[in-house]
Each structure stands twice: as structure tokens, then as C-alpha cells.
């Protein structure tokens, strides 16, 4: 069995990136343990606080955020962190360093209390400016600039799925010895699938193109394997992971109330889009490639359509026809 460390060394990634990944992965092991015994620790439930988007924070959100911030604050290559749970950029004690890490410490918080899979999402960028202390502008980058991205899914086992731009690889945590071991190399997502994942409770508020696509998914058509199955966990990491392996599409569209959707460009959409593209899939905002958009603020959101290429293309056709871009 090959450890994550050995795999990274053999893949000859640059030492700073190797180092940063270590500092991201380390707290996830402790977090995995905590999640496994969550009912016995005081980490379930609300933290009696809200984050920058006005969303209720869970105790585990706060615990995990603190753990990743503490770990990365010791990484001499990391100039700044940006977190879904924190309003401002967090400079490390090394503000002249070259790299920036974005993370969502716990994705799917609403599932924490009911023992359903949740995850941590991360990505790494090189800062834009070349000297002086890191600035906010250094963090506002298109997803195509990501050097690494991944997620750790705390499910029936704890799995790290990661890319450094040369395919998608997964590693399973062996909890007894606290090490991640390579479990799958060069994961490819099927060109098409049978699963669509969307919160259909919001149907009435969806753009017409999405409504029409959902009806398409539900039609009877043997040659194209329809009707598809609807699967929605409500933890994007878990929905994404299933669709990555089995083929499918995940959609979080705009709604009348939230024209930019719910999910954040820097913490959720960019890393997942990098991964899905590296696995041979596709990610758009319904019209354009996610990775080509440069956010203008840290907590910017975007609609997202990602997964098997044929399915993303199909919904794109419906969007063009029934909800043309304004
Ligand atoms: P949070 O981490 O605040 O629970 O948000 C989870 C995200 C994402 O993981 C999931 O796909 C989506 O929000 C679910 O939102 P809806 O409940 O609106 O479907």
C-alpha cells in the first residue's frame, strides 16, 4: 500500500505544494476522529453564531475552521487563508509567502447532527503579486489558476480525493495508524450517467431551462436510459463523490430569490470544478465554464451545473433555449 506522502513525492510536485497539502491534511485526521464520535463530544448542534453569509454556524463548523486555521498558520509557504466561515482574508505569520489556501472546513453542516456524510473542501493558488505582504486581490483568482484542489469526505470511511492537475486520485484514511493510503488512481467520471442531483423542493423558483431539463430527466426513453434517478443528500461533497464515481449531474441553479445560487465560487465551486474537469467531466454556470470566472469578492456565489459531460451539455442546451443568458 502506498501512503499519500509517498504518492506525492513520486508525483514530483513542487516542495511548497507538498508541504501545504500536509498542513491541510493533518487536521482532517483529527476532524475525522471527532466526527466518528460526535455524539460523545460536545460538537453537535448550533454554535449560537452566524457566519459571514448570515448562516447559522454549527459547533463543528467553528471547531473545524479553528483547526485548519491553526494548522496552516504554521505553514511557512502559506501567505493567507480564506475560509467560508470567515469574513476576511486571514494572513498567516508569513504574509510574504507565495501561496494562498481556500477552504470550506465543513461542507454540509446541516447533516452533521444526523450522521450523514459531510466533507472538507480545499484549494491552493499561487498569489498574483510577487512581493510584499499578501493582499485581498491576490485571493480573487479564476479557478483555472488552482494548483491543487480536493475534498475529504467523512463517510462510511474517510476518503481524500485530490488533484494537482495530473488526474484525480483518492486516498483512504486508515484510522488506526492515522495515515492516508492510495486507494484509486486517475479516477474518470463516466461520460454520461443516470443520476440527477438537485434540491427539487425549490422547483417552482428554478429557471425555465432547469425545469425543462428536470422533466427531460423524468421522461421514459429506453435508448437514453431515462428516467434517471434523483439523488440528493444535501452535502455537496457527498453528492459530488457519488456522481463522480457513478456518473451523473449535480445542479445548484439560480433561483428567483438567489440569482447567484447558493454555492461559493472560491470555497466550493472552483475546487469541485477543477476535480470534475480533471476526471473528464464538465462544470458550468449553465452557460460558461466555472473555472474561467474571476470572483470580485471573497464570498461570491455562482450557479453550478457539474458532472458527466453529456449531461452538463444537455442541460446547457435547455438553458440556452429556455433561459437565455441576459
Ligand atoms: P452548508 O454547508 O451550509 O450546510 O451548505 C451545504 C451546501 C452544499 O453542501 C449542499 O449541496 C447545499 O448547500 C444544500 O443546500 P440546500 O439545502 O439549499 O439544497
Amino acid at each position: 500500500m502506498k501512503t499519500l506522502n509517498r504518492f506525492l513525492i513520486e508525483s514530483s510536485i513542487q516542495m511548497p505544494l507538498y508541504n501545504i497539502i500536509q498542513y491541510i491534511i493533518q487536521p482532517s485526521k483529527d476532524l475525522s476522529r471527532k466526527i466518528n464520535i460526535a455524539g460523545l463530544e460536545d460538537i453537535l448542534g448550533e454554535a449560537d453564531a452566524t457566519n459571514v453569509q448570515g448562516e447559522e454556524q454549527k459547533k463543528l463548523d467553528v471547531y473545524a475552521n479553528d483547526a485548519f486555521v491553526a494548522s496552516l498558520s504554521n505553514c511557512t509557504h502559506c501567505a493567507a487563508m480564506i475560509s467560508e466561515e470567515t469574513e476576511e482574508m486571514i494572513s498567516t505569520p508569513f504574509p510574504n509567502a507565495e501561496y494562498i489556501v481556500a477552504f470550506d472546513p465543513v461542507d454540509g453542516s446541516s447533516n452533521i447532527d444526523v450522521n450523514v456524510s459531510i466533507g472538507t473542501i480545499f484549494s491552493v493558488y499561487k498569489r498574483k503579486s510577487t512581493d510584499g505582504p499578501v493582499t485581498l486581490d491576490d485571493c480573487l483568482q479564476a479557478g483555472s489558476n488552482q494548483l491543487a484542489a480536493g475534498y475529504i469526505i467523512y463517510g462510511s470511511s474517510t476518503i481524500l480525493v485530490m488533484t494537482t492537475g495530473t488526474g484525480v486520485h483518492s486516498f483512504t484514511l486508515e484510522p488506526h495508524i492515522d495515515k492516508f493510503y492510495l486507494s484509486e488512481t486517475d479516477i474518470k467520471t463516466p461520460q454520461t450517467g443516470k443520476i440527477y442531483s438537485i434540491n427539487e423542493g425549490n422547483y417552482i423558483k428554478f429557471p425555465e431551462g432547469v425545469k425543462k431539463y428536470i422533466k427531460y430527466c423524468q421522461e421514459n426513453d429506453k435508448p437514453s436510459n431515462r428516467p434517471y434517478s434523483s439523488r440528493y443528500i444535501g452535502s455537496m461533497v457527498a453528492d459530488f463523490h457519488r456522481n463522480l464515481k457513478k456518473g451523473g449531474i449535480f445542479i445548484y441553479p439560480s433561483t428567483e430569490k438567489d440569482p447567484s445560487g447558493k454555492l461559493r465560487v472560491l470555497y466550493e465551486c472552483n475546487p469541485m470544478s477543477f476535480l470534475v474537469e480533471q476526471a473528464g467531466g464538465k462544470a458550468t454556470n449553465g452557460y460558461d465554464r466555472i473555472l474561467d470566472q474571476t470572483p470580485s469578492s471573497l464570498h461570491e456565489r455562482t450557479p453550478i451545473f457539474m458532472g458527466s459531460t453529456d449531461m452538463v451539455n444537455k442541460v446547457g442546451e435547455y438553458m440556452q433555449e429556455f433561459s437565455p443568458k441576459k
Side-chain angles (χ1 to χ4, degrees), residues 161-178:
V161 177
M162 193 178 64
T163 183
T164 54
T166 52
V168 176
H169 315 293
S170 74
F171 306 83
T172 301
L173 181 66
E174 164 44 283
H176 302 104
I177 44 177
D178 227 18

Side-chain angles (χ1 to χ4, degrees), residues 24-233:
I24 296 170
I25 298 312
Q26 196 49 41
S28 75
K29 298 176 187 176
D30 172 57
L31 195 55
S32 174
R33 247 189 323 272
K34 283 260 186 234
I35 289 165
N36 273 309
I37 53 165
L40 308 176
E41 302 253 328
D42 185 28
I43 53 165
L44 293 179
E46 313 298 329
D48 293 328
T50 52
N51 67 12
V52 57
Q53 13 258 320
E55 296 158 341
E56 273 176 8
Q57 280 182 306
K58 300 280 187 177
K59 285 182 192 158
L60 197 59
D61 281 327
V62 176
Y63 176 87
N65 192 52
D66 291 350
F68 286 104
V69 170
S71 179
L72 283 158
S73 295
N74 292 317
C75 177
T76 55
H77 297 291
C78 180
M81 295 163 257
I82 51 174
S83 163
E84 193 205 284
E85 297 300 331
T86 310
E87 183 162 4
E88 312 277 355
M89 175 187 88
I90 308 163
S91 293
T92 71
F94 316 101
N96 294 316
E98 277 187 296
Y99 297 88
I100 289 158
V101 179
F103 55 87
D104 179 356
V106 181
D107 171 70
S109 313
S110 56
N111 281 321
I112 292 170
D113 295 343
V114 291
N115 204 19
V116 168
S117 298
I118 52 180
T120 296
I121 309 172
F122 63 89
S123 70
V124 183
Y125 298 82
K126 198 164 197 173
R127 57 185 279 187
K128 290 193 271 186
S129 56
T130 49
D131 54 15
V134 63
T135 64
L136 172 64
D137 190 51
D138 284 319
C139 303
L140 301 176
Q141 298 199 41
S144 52
N145 291 347
Q146 290 171 106
L147 300 176
Y151 57 84
I152 298 121
I153 178 166
Y154 310 101
S156 44
S157 53
T158 295
I159 295 180
L160 161 69
V161 177
M162 193 178 64
T163 183
T164 54
T166 52
V168 176
H169 315 293
S170 74
F171 306 83
T172 301
L173 181 66
E174 164 44 283
H176 302 104
I177 44 177
D178 227 18
K179 278 192 192 319
F180 278 98
Y181 286 94
L182 181 64
S183 37
E184 216 178 330
T185 50
D186 206 15
I187 298 171
K188 290 294 175 211
T189 199
Q191 180 75 15
T192 192
K194 256 188 79 64
I195 296 173
Y196 70 103
S197 309
I198 185 167
N199 185 344
E200 271 184 89
N202 293 327
Y203 183 87
I204 207 87
K205 298 182 262 176
F206 289 156
E208 204 49 35
V210 173
K211 288 182 182 170
K212 289 276 197 294
Y213 179 69
I214 291 174
K215 289 296 157 213
Y216 165 86
C217 294
Q218 296 169 344
E219 279 164 16
N220 263 320
D221 181 58
K222 266 228 160 84
S224 58
N225 251 326
R226 285 177 290 146
Y228 298 154
S229 294
S230 166
R231 294 281 183 276
Y232 191 74
I233 296 170

Side-chain angles (χ1 to χ4, degrees), residues 232-246:
Y232 191 74
I233 296 170
S235 288
M236 183 186 54
V237 165
D239 280 309
F240 179 94
H241 189 71
R242 181 202 52 242
N243 292 1
L244 176 75
K245 306 286 304 243
K246 294 190 163 186

